[in-house]
Amino acid sequence: MNLLYLEEIDSTNKYAKENITSISDGTIVYTQNQTDGRGRLNRKWSYLGKDNIYASIVLKPSDTILPVYSNLTQLLCLILCQTFEEYGTNPKIKWPNDVQINGKKISGILAEAVMGKGVLKGIVLGFGVNLNTTQETLDKIDQPATSLNIETGKTIDREEFLEKLSTRFCLLYNKFIEGGFLLIREDYIRRAGFLNKDITVKVLNEKYCGVATDVTENGALKLKDKNNKEHILLIGDIL
Ligand code: BTN
């Protein structure tokens, strides 16, 4: 993968989308100073200092959108987990693509497709990872969060982390586009922190409550409500 480093940018996702034609397939755009980071559901992604990861992977798999592209965030989520494990931690996935360590969020993913004249110009897979922060900084975030230096007791080298992650991504990506979510389903489920628990999932303006029973071969969440009715959720957020 190519690395494209920017000293400062409002959002690596926004930059990647705006420059999609000139950025080659398989490039990781990253910065040490993201001034207006965006999260899922129109939320903001806080800037926690320069020694963290603010990055976007640019992918150009084909001119049309295939269903498997919607699972790319789950692939990246699994790869993030495997990379965190290399540092001796025990990450858990919060469906669909948040990673938590000891119940606190450590990374987030925001995927965006860029279309032009009915053609898919590219996919931007943005991710933020808390690598090196202080507890004081984390306490200012609106949800429980942690960082890899706090979990390991060691300072984390950003370039080394990106290298480990991109190596794993390269190894799996082509196979994943061919095989789909099924290829990683077992590895994903092994790290799922939400299964067999009572949860509430917000899907657009609806809320579903019940026990998370499984993740389907397409990466959807199976939920059984109190009337034993099964729901298959393709998108949503566990509250
Ligand atoms: C979320 O959990 O809400 C997703 C957060 C994604 C944040 C990353 S940081 C790099 C990239 N650029 C952005 O503006 N957002 C993503």
Side-chain angles (χ1 to χ4, degrees):
M1 296 184 100
N2 317 311
L3 288 179
L4 173 58
Y5 174 71
L6 306 167
E7 195 64 30
E8 180 178 309
I9 196 75
D10 48 0
S11 151
T12 57
N13 264 35
K14 185 163 170 266
Y15 178 89
K17 286 193 292 174
E18 286 170 358
N19 295 282
I20 198 85
T21 6
S22 60
I23 303 174
S24 54
D25 181 25
T27 300
I28 304 184
V29 181
Y30 72 111
T31 187
Q32 65 160 3
N33 195 1
Q34 181 168 260
T35 54
D36 190 20
R38 294 133 182 242
R40 292 173 67 217
L41 310 168
N42 273 330
R43 285 191 288 243
K44 277 191 162 294
W45 184 257
S46 305
Y47 177 67
L48 302 183
K50 66 178 176 55
D51 297 319
N52 298 288
I53 290 179
Y54 313 93
S56 302
I57 305 177
V58 172
L59 300 167
K60 300 182 175 177
S62 64
D63 290 348
T64 51
I65 295 196
L66 299 180
V68 65
Y69 301 163
S70 63
N71 298 112
L72 278 167
T73 60
Q74 286 166 308
L75 171 69
L76 181 57
C77 173
L78 173 67
I79 288 172
L80 279 164
C81 284
Q82 291 170 334
T83 310
F84 292 134
E85 285 161 6
E86 284 191 50
Y87 290 84
T89 62
N90 185 22
K92 294 279 171 223
I93 295 172
K94 184 178 168 196
W95 183 88
N97 53 47
D98 276 356
V99 181
Q100 297 184 325
I101 297 183
N102 292 321
K104 295 176 220 163
K105 181 157 166 166
I106 187 158
S107 62
I109 300 172
L110 173 66
E112 298 181 84
V114 187
M115 301 294 296
K117 296 186 184 144
V119 166
L120 176 67
K121 290 187 150 185
I123 296 167
V124 175
L125 214 46
F127 60 103
V129 186
N130 303 341
L131 281 191
N132 298 288
T133 59
T134 61
Q135 193 54 52
E136 199 189 345
T137 306
L138 291 168
D139 288 344
K140 291 179 195 145
I141 303 179
D142 57 359
Q143 60 176 311
T146 189
S147 61
L148 199 52
N149 68 317
I150 289 180
E151 295 300 328
T152 59
K154 290 184 188 132
T155 303
I156 309 297
D157 185 279
R158 182 184 57 188
E159 265 65 29
E160 192 176 295
F161 186 94
L162 274 177
E163 181 64 39
K164 287 181 194 292
L165 180 126
S166 63
T167 303
R168 287 185 177 276
F169 195 87
C170 282
L171 277 174
L172 266 179
Y173 174 65
N174 286 327
K175 285 189 209 150
F176 183 79
I177 294 294
E178 287 284 306
F181 183 75
L182 204 51
L183 188 86
I184 61 161
R185 181 170 171 266
E186 264 182 41
D187 289 327
Y188 182 94
I189 285 180
R190 201 175 312 131
R191 294 166 175 88
F194 51 86
L195 286 178
N196 305 316
K197 288 189 181 148
D198 249 311
I199 56 169
T200 300
V201 186
K202 188 165 183 267
V203 184
L204 305 173
N205 287 327
E206 298 247 4
K207 277 186 187 166
Y208 295 83
C209 299
V211 177
T213 56
D214 204 359
V215 179
T216 70
E217 59 179 42
N218 300 320
L221 178 66
K222 261 192 198 174
L223 196 80
K224 200 179 254 185
D225 71 18
K226 61 180 189 312
N227 302 317
N228 267 338
K229 185 168 179 231
E230 196 167 81
H231 301 269
I232 301 211
L233 307 178
L234 290 166
I235 52 161
D237 254 317
I238 299 178
L239 299 177

